[in-house]
């Protein structure tokens, strides 16, 4: 990835630690992404996959660099309710599933996605396959693989959010804006934490989807820090993985006091109300405290995956827990 000597570049080291190389026709910046040093010429035609990833670009004021975005059909409510709805309206939606054909058709010079957020060996769309096509990639830090099979997550989720904001700020030359966002988000998280200060920490189960087996969050996905900083404890926070499947027996054994529902259409249920109805009617859960007491709270999908809605999600959940 590092061909600076051959290109005859002038290297500069920024105060934030990124290496910037000035060359004829553009700027090259090197950042650490998923544990690897990766060099980027400043991208101008970015394809993003997923709402949270797209909103990271929009929050940084980079809508003009996004040539198109890809979101699945279950995320339409996120787009309609997004704080960056005007950017979603202005930037073309390319498809509901990302592929090499979509990327090439858009003339992309960078794809911003992540493992299970668009990148997958089963579809053949990977950072390696795109590099073979001459297209650079930036991987969502929340979804970085940690070296154990296909498990994901290499740092706490909020740290992953701040890392991506800072890396993208360096790559696109908007570090000042990135640092302002990080400071704002850290302050918002600190204020939210005060709402539950000194109170008992309820056990919280993140229910994403699944009837036979629930899909939930381990300690490396955004809900871990959303729940934790809101004043609760993720009942599956001991799992060294990101989004993962568990068994209903484990949910029952850990007896959550609150269920946090991921609001997106998953094929089994299209609304939080349908998901709640299933949980209330599923006999094995009848004795679980959250079900028995009717303590359900829903947040949008884009608030529960890594993205700029995470701090507001922490505040919203903290207010619910404090008043529940």
């Amino acid at each position: 990835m590092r061909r600076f000597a051959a290109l005859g570049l002038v290297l500069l080291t920024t105060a934030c630690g990124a290496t910037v190389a000035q060359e004829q026709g553009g700027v090259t910046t090197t950042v650490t992404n998923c544990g690897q040093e990766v060099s980027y010429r400043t991208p101008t035609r970015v394809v993003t996959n997923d709402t949270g990833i797209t909103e990271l670009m929009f929050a940084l004021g980079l809508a003009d660099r996004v040539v198109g975005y890809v979101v699945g059909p279950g995320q339409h409510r996120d787009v309609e309710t997004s704080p960056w709805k005007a950017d979603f309206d202005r930037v073309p939606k390319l498809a509901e599933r990302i592929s090499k054909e979509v990327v090439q058709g858009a003339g992309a010079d960078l794809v911003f996605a992540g493992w299970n957020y668009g990148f997958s060996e089963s579809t053949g769309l990977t950072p390696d396959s795109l590099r073979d096509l001459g297209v650079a990639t930036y991987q969502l830090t929340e979804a970085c693989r940690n070296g154990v099979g296909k498990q994901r997550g290499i740092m706490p989720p909020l740290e992953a959010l701040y890392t991506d904001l800072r890396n993208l700020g360096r790559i696109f030359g908007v570090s000042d804006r990135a640092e302002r966002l990080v400071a704002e988000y850290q302050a918002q998280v600190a204020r939210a934490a005060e709402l539950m200060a000194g109170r008992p920490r309820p056990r919280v189960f993140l229910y994403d989807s699944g009837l036979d087996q629930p899909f939930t969050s381990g300690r490396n996905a955004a809900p871990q820090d959303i729940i934790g900083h809101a004043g609760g404890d993720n009942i599956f926070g001991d799992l060294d993985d990101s989004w993962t499947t568990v068994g209903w027996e484990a949910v029952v054994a850990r007896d959550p006091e609150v269920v946090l529902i991921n609001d997106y259409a998953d094929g089994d249920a299209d609304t939080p109300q349908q998901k709640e109805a299933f949980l209330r009617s599923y006999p094995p859960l009848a004795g679980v405290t959250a079900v028995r007491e009717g303590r359900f709270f829903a947040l949008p999908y884009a608030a529960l995956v890594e993205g700029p809605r995470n701090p507001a999600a922490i505040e919203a959940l903290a207010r619910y827990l404090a008043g529940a």
Side-chain angles (χ1 to χ4, degrees), residues 195-281:
L195 295 170
M196 283 288 288
R199 297 171 180 248
R201 299 180 66 86
R203 300 180 302 276
V204 181
F205 167 49
L206 184 284
Y207 180 57
D208 177 283
S209 57
L211 303 183
D212 296 333
Q213 291 181 300
F215 196 58
T216 189
S217 167
R219 72 173 180 231
N220 301 329
Q224 170 73 7
D225 274 357
I226 291 170
I227 294 168
H229 287 276
D233 290 319
N234 176 13
I235 64 169
F236 290 108
D238 59 325
L239 301 182
D240 187 17
D241 203 351
S242 178
W243 297 89
T244 188
T245 299
V246 296
W248 287 116
E249 297 85 353
V251 176
V252 173
R254 299 180 186 210
D255 189 27
E257 297 165 282
V258 175
V259 176
L260 175 58
I261 294 175
N262 192 352
D263 176 7
Y264 82 106
D266 62 24
D268 293 323
D270 289 336
T271 67
Q273 293 76 19
Q274 289 173 328
K275 293 181 180 183
E276 179 179 335
F278 163 70
L279 295 170
R280 287 180 179 273
S281 66

Side-chain angles (χ1 to χ4, degrees), residues 4 9-12 19-23 26-30 40-41:
F4 299 151
L9 306 178
V10 179
L11 298 182
L12 305 172
T19 301
V20 177
Q22 292 182 334
E23 65 171 290
V27 174
T28 298
T29 306
T30 300
Y40 299 90
R41 289 285 297 276

Side-chain angles (χ1 to χ4, degrees), residues 66-77:
V66 181
V67 71
Y69 65 89
V70 177
V71 296
Q75 299 173 39
H76 64 277
R77 285 196 296 275

Side-chain angles (χ1 to χ4, degrees), residues 81-95:
T81 61
S82 175
W84 299 274
K85 178 65 163 57
D87 289 326
F88 275 110
D89 288 343
R90 185 165 70 251
V91 175
K93 177 181 175 180
L94 301 176

